[in-house]
Amino acid sequence: MEAELTTLTALAASGATTFVGLMATEAWTQVRGRLVRFLGRGENDEVIDAELEESRAELTAARADSDEETAADIEAEWRARLRRILRANPEAADQLRDLLEELAPLQPVGHTVSVTNTISGGTQHGPVLQGEKFSNLTFNGGGADVPGQRPGTA
């Protein structure tokens, strides 16, 4: 019994991490309906949908404010809820495993990072890039001279 409880707890944690992780992605619109059907178990779908959207709004605001404590609280709430669903309905465990396997390709890789970039100091004489990963970039000069710079120098 204790091993089964540990397994359900781990499954609930995995589900909550996946659900909350997807709330902060563009994939949310694709997966929300499936989550509602799983969580609602055929009842209260409208209520579940509203609760998921409320959690998503709170999560988005928390991440915008770099409030990881609130983000962790949201995940903990869904973990507890999933644990209750799994305890009350043993066949839900297989359904949750199937759902998590289906959602795996949509999950964000790594963790969400908030980055703020500021460009200051006057005119920029070259490309300015903002992003997480760049590779195989080539920039060719547009032929414009940079004021105060001798030709052929960088």
Side-chain angles (χ1 to χ4, degrees), residues 58-116:
E58 289 176 29
L59 179 68
T60 302
R63 291 212 170 137
D65 293 339
S66 298
D67 181 359
E68 290 305 314
E69 185 176 337
T70 297
D73 288 347
I74 293 166
E75 186 173 325
E77 288 173 22
W78 286 106
R79 182 174 48 249
R81 188 164 189 168
L82 284 171
R83 195 169 43 243
R84 286 191 302 273
I85 289 171
L86 295 173
R87 285 181 182 163
N89 189 349
E91 58 270 2
D94 288 335
Q95 295 168 353
L96 180 56
R97 283 186 195 95
D98 291 344
L99 180 59
L100 293 176
E101 187 176 312
E102 180 184 335
L103 299 177
L106 301 173
Q107 291 182 54
V109 178
H111 60 280
T112 303
V113 177
S114 177
V115 176
T116 303

Side-chain angles (χ1 to χ4, degrees), residues 18-32:
T18 299
F19 294 178
V20 172
L22 287 169
M23 284 179 185
T25 70
E26 291 184 19
W28 179 246
T29 56
Q30 297 174 12
V31 302
R32 187 175 92 200

